Amino acid sequence: DTEVTQTPKHLVMGMTNKKSLKCEQHMGHRAMYWYKQKAKKPPELMFVYSYEKLSINESVPSRFSPECPNSSLLNLHLHALQPEDSALYLCASRGVGSYEQYFGPGTRLTVT
Amino acid sequence: QKEVEQNSGPLSVPEGAIASLNCTYSDRGSQSFFWYRQYSGKSPELIMFIYSNGDKEDGRFTAQLNKASQYVSLLIRDSQPSDSATYLCAVNRRIQGAQKLVFGQGTRLTINP
């Protein structure tokens, strides 16, 4: 089973709202990733967590705040976003000792 | 030079033919290579990975890796209209103690009935 789940599927938020995206996996993977994908572009890495610790922040603006409460769960807290932040937000996970990343279905975010 | 390069297409192939997708990479030390399929509006799906030189087959898909020439390719035999999608080539990199994927721009493939 290589299932990564993400909620919500769709999210519309205003520029003053605070919302959170959630990602969950029960495969025992210890690395989890957040990506942002704009139309007709490849996924763009935002954050990497390894063993619940933030390993990589690809210079993401502070209006995006990641959190990894435990080894199965990854959150992305959103605050004061801009319309250009509208995109598909993807979560992925990777098992210990492997390099393959498995993506969740994504959250389609629209900022109005 | 981009780290991972793909022809963006679109690549148009008749149904039943072989679709050939190519990818080159610049870091000679790269060890792990991946092909993801992405349907419009959906998330990327891992369809093949290859770590050793040569061919790796899985059903109608064959991944080919040539580290000396720094290219990796994906062949799709007996192409079906359901294979129409964007195919993303990715290369693994180790940075700051973590593993990350570097993606090419993707090749849009259309299979014509």
Side-chain angles (χ1 to χ4, degrees), chain B:
Chain B
Q1 182 187 8
K2 290 182 182 173
E3 192 166 348
V4 180
E5 295 210 53
Q6 297 180 252
N7 186 330
S8 62
L11 177 64
S12 188
V13 172
E15 184 176 356
I18 295 175
S20 178
L21 304 159
N22 299 313
C23 172
T24 59
Y25 59 94
S26 60
D27 182 356
R28 191 169 282 280
S30 299
Q31 299 289 327
S32 311
F33 307 87
F34 307 87
W35 284 100
Y36 287 84
R37 177 176 63 197
Q38 188 170 25
Y39 293 114
S40 181
K42 302 294 186 183
S43 64
E45 175 192 5
L46 180 64
I47 55 171
M48 290 290 284
F49 57 90
I50 185 166
Y51 300 159
S52 304
N53 270 333
D55 293 2
K56 179 182 179 183
E57 188 173 318
D58 183 1
R60 296 186 296 111
F61 298 102
T62 299
Q64 299 176 316
L65 175 60
N66 184 322
K67 289 185 180 179
S69 301
Q70 295 176 242
Y71 82 78
V72 57
S73 61
L74 179 71
L75 302 178
I76 306 175
R77 288 183 300 282
D78 188 24
S79 297
Q80 302 297 310
S82 59
D83 295 324
S84 298
T86 295
Y87 289 80
L88 295 160
C89 172
V91 175
N92 189 68
R93 278 189 64 202
R94 183 177 174 84
I95 182 168
Q96 299 173 28
Q99 309 291 341
K100 65 178 276 188
L101 293 179
V102 179
F103 286 92
Q105 291 299 303
T107 297
R108 190 153 55 90
L109 173 66
T110 300
I111 306 299
N112 300 307

